[in-house]
Amino acid sequence: MNIIVITGGSRGIGASTALQCASKGMGVVVTYNSHAAGADAVVRQIVAAGGKAVALALDVGNVATFAGFRDRLASALQATWGRDSFDGLVNNAGYGNFNAIASVTEAEFDGLLNVHLKGPFFLTQALLPLLADGGHIVNMTSATTRVATPGAAPYAAFKGGLEVLTRYMAKEFGARGIRANAISPGAIRTDMTGATFDQNPEFETMLAGQTALGRIGAADDVGKVIASLLSSDNGWVNAQTIEVGGGYNI
């Protein structure tokens, strides 16, 4: 059984990815920062369907906690699966904080940097000893790296850095048979973005109009692709950024 660690797995794309992976027979570890109830609900749903899952707390923006998380993860792997390793890492945790370049504060900049680039870099580094040879890393980026979106400059810049980092991970970890790919969602309705779309239906209409398939995406549209990418069906896909956006802004 492959075991997948998904950061930010308590809701949205992370939760969908966890459920899709479990449906393919994978074991799942979901992390959460503040939304413990959501993570527990994902675990209960997987267990109720006959799968195995664990929820662990993790602040991806705090590198100092990563060694302790690695130890707790090692204990959970042994207790739940009798394993001392896992097979896939999905660096998904993140948040949006949209502001024009002229107004971005240093604190806003640093917060986005810590979660979207520094965190995935050092978390991957910390977990490498537990990641099995032949494993897979999936980094969550964004279509804002391709389509300049006013207000998203720091977020997009760090996601662009993560796309570059993905290729370097593929290069440096290839000797161990570890693949690394990035998933770049387009406009997606999730638990976090749903309120924005509900309050500004014209914004959703605009984004749908910019998408070839005529709608914005759902979390499952992305989660299904990630789960498929983590499976052996896509074992020769490596060092790629795959946009999952229904043909956004083409």
Side-chain angles (χ1 to χ4, degrees):
M1 173 189 287
N2 283 351
I3 303 169
I4 311 300
V5 176
I6 303 166
T7 68
S10 63
R11 56 187 175 181
I13 292 172
S16 173
T17 300
L19 295 170
Q20 295 297 330
C21 286
S23 73
K24 291 181 176 293
M26 304 178 197
V28 176
V29 178
V30 295
T31 81
Y32 63 91
N33 185 11
S34 59
H35 195 38
D40 289 341
V42 171
V43 168
R44 287 196 302 271
Q45 189 170 344
I46 291 172
V47 171
K52 288 186 177 182
V54 174
L56 297 175
L58 172 66
D59 180 358
V60 174
N62 188 349
V63 174
T65 66
F66 291 174
F69 173 76
R70 181 185 59 221
D71 293 343
R72 289 185 289 114
L73 174 60
S75 296
L77 291 169
Q78 188 60 237
T80 307
W81 291 279
R83 289 267 307 270
D84 58 6
S85 65
F86 67 98
D87 305 285
L89 171 63
V90 182
N91 285 310
N92 165 76
Y95 69 99
N97 184 13
F98 294 89
N99 203 353
I101 292 173
S103 304
V104 172
T105 67
E106 185 176 3
E108 289 171 338
F109 185 97
D110 288 346
L112 290 165
L113 170 64
N114 288 340
V115 169
H116 292 286
L117 185 56
K118 184 178 179 180
F121 184 104
F122 285 103
L123 181 64
T124 302
Q125 181 190 77
L127 297 185
L128 274 175
L130 300 182
L131 181 59
D133 290 354
H136 191 188
I137 298 165
V138 177
N139 294 320
M140 188 67 66
T141 62
S142 169
T144 58
T145 64
R146 179 180 63 82
V147 181
T149 306
Y155 173 88
F158 303 138
K159 290 298 193 181
L162 189 57
E163 288 185 359
V164 174
L165 179 60
T166 299
R167 295 195 293 274
Y168 274 81
M169 288 178 173
K171 188 75 168 181
E172 294 194 16
F173 305 155
R176 292 181 52 192
I178 295 172
R179 297 181 295 132
N181 291 289
I183 291 290
S184 175
I188 305 293
R189 175 180 279 273
T190 67
D191 298 345
M192 289 187 288
T193 63
T196 298
F197 290 137
D198 290 340
Q199 293 168 10
N200 303 279
E202 68 282 358
F203 181 47
E204 180 173 352
T205 300
M206 180 194 71
L207 292 173
Q210 294 174 344
T211 302
L213 293 182
R215 65 172 176 87
I216 64 169
D220 282 351
D221 290 322
V222 184
K224 290 176 181 178
V225 175
I226 298 172
S228 176
L229 194 58
L230 288 164
S231 75
S232 59
D233 292 344
N234 288 288
W236 199 236
V237 180
N238 194 23
Q240 302 301 304
T241 295
I242 302 168
E243 187 168 314
V244 184
Y248 172 61
N249 214 326
I250 57 173

